[in-house]
Amino acid sequence: MSIPLSRTLLAAILFVIPLAAASAQESGGSAAPATAAQDMPDWFKRGLPGPGHAALEPLVGLWRVHFEIHGSLGRSPNDAPLVSDDVFCRREWVAGGRYIEDTTEGTIEGGPYWRRGWLGYSNMDRRYEWVTIDATNSTMMTYVGERGSGNQRPIDMKGEFTDQGVAGEAAVGKRVPMRTEIRIDDNDHHTIDLYFTPPGKSEVLATRAVYTRLGK
């Protein structure tokens, strides 16, 4: 393939990306129009949004969050949870309908709370993947489902991180397994639970977030 033709093909691919984004947002994360996809190379078509992405559509929108902090932020899971109803979340499709960007912010116990994350579905590994950053932890938190788990319910993803003490002082500098579970009740309600497994201990609930859609 000549260089000019390669550039033409690349330009065509980049032109279809916004079309795919518009289609994904209108049809719940579906792929670009078939007529456009037919002209794309196979490697590109394998990365188009599909059923695994479309299944995440109920998570998109604006949400009020009932947020509970249990065994996290250095607290014991045996303590009464910190609870806030002053937390809000906005989610939207990005990258041509391939990922949902989640921005969650508000106040807890009078202090600010902020987190941003990206949730997607790997067509090649057939699993959900979730990455978050927040304003309290210098470590990016990465979670993945079991390879081949597909469009499972509830969505269950695991990872581990080097703790700075959010799981307790005994865990500082150690690798702590973690797990995120997303339970979608209907289009207007879902719950996201985060679990830690501190060194030498059983899994404990770290945070629970209950989402209720704002508006229709």
Side-chain angles (χ1 to χ4, degrees), residues 10 14 21 30-31 42 46 71 112 116 140-141 148 169 171 182 195:
L10 179 59
L14 295 178
S30 61
D42 289 341
R46 295 186 192 104
R116 180 163 292 163
M140 297 180 71
M141 311 291 265
E169 287 299 300
I182 303 176
Y195 297 89

Side-chain angles (χ1 to χ4, degrees), residues 15-25 27 29-33 44 48-49 95-98:
F15 176 75
V16 167
I17 288 177
L19 296 180
S23 174
Q25 292 183 16
S27 57
S30 61
F44 185 78
L48 289 172
R98 290 169 176 81

